[in-house]
Amino acid sequence: MSEIPMVLADRVSKSFGSNRVLRSISLKVDRGEVLCIVGPSGSGKSTFLRCINHLERVDAGRLSVEGQLVGYRQKGDKLYELRPKEAAFQRREIGMVFQRFNLFPHLTALENIIQAPMRVKHMSKSKATARAKELMERVGLGDKADYYPAHLSGGQQQRVAIARALAMDPKLMLFDEPTSALDPELVGEVLDVMKELASSGMTMIVVTHEMGFAREVADSLVFMDDGVVVEAGNPRQVLNDPQHERTKMFLSKVL
Amino acid sequence: MSTSSHNPISSAAPGPPDNTEDGEVVKAIPLRHPWRVLIAVVLVAMLAVFIIDAAQRKDFGWAEVGKYIFDKRISQAALVTLQLTVYSMVLAIALGLLLAIMRLSPNPVVKSVAWLYIWIFRGTPVYVQLVFWGIVALIYPVLTVGIPFMTPWISFDNSIFTNLFVTAIIGLALNEAAYMSEIVRAGLLSVDEGQEEASRALAMSWGQTMRHIVVPQAMRIIIPPTGNEVISMLKTTSLVTAIPLSIDLYGVSRGISAVTFTPVPLLIVACIWYLLFTSILMVGQHFIEKRFSRGSGQRKADKVSGPHGPTTTAALTNPAAGNDIGGKG
């Protein structure tokens, strides 16, 4: 395909002090693709995800979204760091969902959703509200608009968080262990919303421990350990017939 | 109680607990505290002796106290004290918020300026600062705008610091701002990192994140100690005598006593007014603390009932814990 990939990572590395969290990560995510990243905790999955919307900066290598370098501008062979405003502009079309939901507790579900469209896109309040109600409906919480996050269950909070990210009409959604903080019986409702989103053609990168979801929904799967991509490929193939010893060990523990 | 032997079995068995089979009511003799009673009696007796003695002592001049407590000069001075408190606190809160945000700014220049300010204004006594602001008009009689060591573009008389009331407000506010900024900073830092992260991920700018996400949540932490600072400021206003400004409560009562040679009664008058104001503020403080500590203790949790009825109490404990854990993942 000659099309520009949605996300292209070329030998991306990242260290926190002397701790090398990412070592030369290279991968490609096409438009409409759902990529699941699995691996033991501390393997750098979340850090990689956070690099994609420049919540963390990359130390080495090149990371681009739709052909645009993340966090930097290239002029000739020199890289220039983007201003905070420019970096924020890049994030407008990248939605992110966090493990701990990170809803704004002082705002109702609806207010959570309309913040960014109003403040960043300068959408009118009535328009943003109408859109937010649509999204609440889409995630199955049409009747919970005026509830504060405190009054919602974890699963409901996470679905509001997904609606909040969708309100910016992202072309790419990042999920950072979206079900890891949930009670087991609430995991399903969040995964259902994510499945619906995937089938609607959204490009998604999902860091997860839900192997069932990866098998069913993902187009490709990456297994990371200790900051490197150990194995990548078709999720059913990787999960059923892992080639690498470390992948086998990990999967034997979680499956 | 013949059924009591059934109790352990029925409570261990599955199914709803049977409330009809409660155990025997505990009828124990409560623990006695004879020493508490004794010491209380002694203390009350000592207080009574002190009051009886004070009432008869000439130096306290109770007649004078009665005469001046509602004196127009005194009540007007009390109003000045209130004005000094309110104006300087409003200024101090605004400046303190600015300084706190500056200290948390990613910009190292802005951060250093705020640090320097706090270092100086918190590191020197407020009394000395007030003396300094009192004489600053003598040091800088003319204020100029222009390039250093060249003919100034604009120059005007330093009229700000010749008004002693304004000088007092500025002096008190500048000092208090350093303390307020620490309170605000603690509040801002108490807001979970995940909040800022989520806001940034939604492409909101740093300023928008602060204004709409972080500061509103920090208020819960900031407001109770701010009430404390108001009470403290009310009393600190008596130091404006250093400027010297003498139209406040303490200044006026001293002024009157200098004429009548009755210092003690007028000190008592001043104290009564200060106590009246601080008592009112303490009541206000109590309600503020109650309002802003919602969900943090059992006592408060059962009083909260939101728009969604009884589910509130159970749910309240949840997000507080959830949000404190943070967005690390």
Side-chain angles (χ1 to χ4, degrees), chain A residues 172-185:
Chain A
L172 169 66
M173 284 284 283
L174 309 174
F175 291 86
D176 188 4
E177 302 197 25
T179 56
S180 297
L182 295 176
D183 290 340
E185 82 262 26

Side-chain angles (χ1 to χ4, degrees), chain B:
Chain B
M1 284 245 171
S2 60
T3 55
S4 64
S5 63
H6 283 294
N7 255 348
I9 301 159
S10 67
S11 66
D18 195 348
N19 286 332
T20 55
E21 291 192 31
D22 282 348
E24 191 189 347
V25 175
V26 174
K27 273 187 252 162
I29 293 149
L31 196 59
R32 307 276 187 218
H33 298 285
W35 285 102
R36 289 184 195 176
V37 177
L38 185 70
I39 289 170
V41 167
V42 170
L43 287 175
V44 167
M46 282 165 71
L47 184 67
V49 168
F50 173 77
I51 289 173
I52 292 165
D53 174 73
Q56 292 164 344
R57 239 170 236 274
K58 283 262 180 317
D59 294 319
F60 283 115
W62 294 107
E64 301 284 304
V65 171
K67 187 173 151 197
Y68 286 109
I69 186 89
F70 295 120
D71 189 290
K72 195 141 187 250
R73 286 170 291 175
I74 292 285
S75 52
Q76 259 165 2
L79 186 68
V80 171
T81 287
L82 274 187
Q83 283 174 324
L84 284 172
T85 307
V86 171
Y87 295 151
S88 53
M89 271 318 286
V90 168
L91 256 176
I93 289 168
L95 189 57
L97 181 68
L98 181 73
L99 284 167
I101 289 177
M102 283 169 75
R103 271 199 83 181
L104 296 174
S105 152
N107 181 336
V109 178
V110 166
K111 209 187 261 185
S112 310
V113 169
W115 184 87
L116 187 72
Y117 180 96
I118 293 164
W119 180 60
I120 291 171
F121 281 89
R122 211 175 49 163
T124 55
V126 61
Y127 189 89
V128 175
Q129 286 173 29
L130 288 171
V131 171
F132 175 80
W133 293 120
I135 56 175
V136 82
L138 301 176
I139 307 172
Y140 299 100
V142 181
L143 298 176
T144 60
V145 178
I147 301 164
F149 310 113
M150 307 278 277
T151 318
W153 302 332
I154 314 165
S155 66
F156 48 88
D157 287 341
N158 188 346
S159 58
I160 302 167
F161 291 103
T162 48
N163 182 333
L164 294 184
F165 183 69
V166 175
T167 304
I169 289 169
I170 291 174
L172 290 170
L174 290 181
N175 176 72
E176 180 60 25
Y179 290 92
M180 275 311 300
S181 82
E182 290 296 290
I183 290 171
V184 174
R185 194 167 75 106
L188 295 178
L189 288 175
S190 77
V191 177
D192 171 41
E193 254 180 286
Q195 294 290 309
E196 194 184 328
E197 210 157 69
S199 181
R200 275 169 68 205
L202 286 165
M204 291 213 255
S205 69
W206 187 78
Q208 286 174 325
T209 302
M210 277 292 162
R211 215 165 82 224
H212 302 295
I213 307 301
V214 177
V215 171
Q217 293 183 57
M219 291 317 269
R220 198 171 56 89
I221 304 292
I222 293 170
I223 286 180
T226 302
N228 232 350
E229 290 298 302
V230 174
I231 292 173
S232 173
M233 177 58 89
L234 185 92
K235 295 170 292 168
T236 307
T237 55
S238 64
L239 295 183
V240 296
T241 176
I243 285 178
L245 181 73
S246 53
I247 57 169
D248 74 308
L249 191 47
Y250 175 63
V252 166
S253 36
R254 250 187 6 153
I256 295 173
S257 65
V259 178
T260 60
F261 299 109
T262 50
V264 180
L266 279 143
L267 284 180
I268 293 172
V269 166
C271 281
I272 290 172
W273 276 94
Y274 281 119
L275 260 178
L276 172 74
F277 289 146
T278 49
S279 305
I280 293 168
L281 288 172
M282 274 166 75
V283 172
Q285 171 82 353
H286 172 75
F287 283 108
I288 287 172
E289 280 185 6
K290 222 169 141 183
R291 166 128 175 64
F292 281 93
S293 62
R294 278 186 301 183
S296 60
Q298 291 263 305
R299 181 167 48 88
K300 281 101 185 178
D302 56 358
K303 285 204 91 179
V304 177
S305 66
H308 307 295
T311 53
T312 317
T313 317
L316 253 176
T317 50
N318 231 339
N323 281 315
D324 281 345
I325 293 162
K328 208 179 140 262

Side-chain angles (χ1 to χ4, degrees), chain A residues 46 50 100 103-104 106 119 150, chain B residues 194-195 197 208 212 315 326 329:
Chain A
S46 291
R50 294 156 57 82
R100 297 270 169 206
L103 289 180
F104 308 132
H106 61 302
R119 314 249 179 249
Chain B
Q195 294 290 309
E197 210 157 69
Q208 286 174 325
H212 302 295

Side-chain angles (χ1 to χ4, degrees), chain A residues 136-189:
Chain A
M136 295 273 308
E137 210 67 60
R138 185 172 172 190
V139 299
L141 293 171
D143 56 336
K144 298 276 193 275
D146 296 327
Y147 281 58
Y148 282 90
H151 305 141
L152 300 172
S153 73
Q156 290 170 334
Q157 288 190 53
Q158 192 61 298
R159 285 188 280 157
V160 172
I162 293 173
R164 179 175 72 175
L166 289 176
M168 290 294 281
D169 292 316
K171 56 193 178 192
L172 169 66
M173 284 284 283
L174 309 174
F175 291 86
D176 188 4
E177 302 197 25
T179 56
S180 297
L182 295 176
D183 290 340
E185 82 262 26
L186 302 176
V187 168
E189 62 189 61

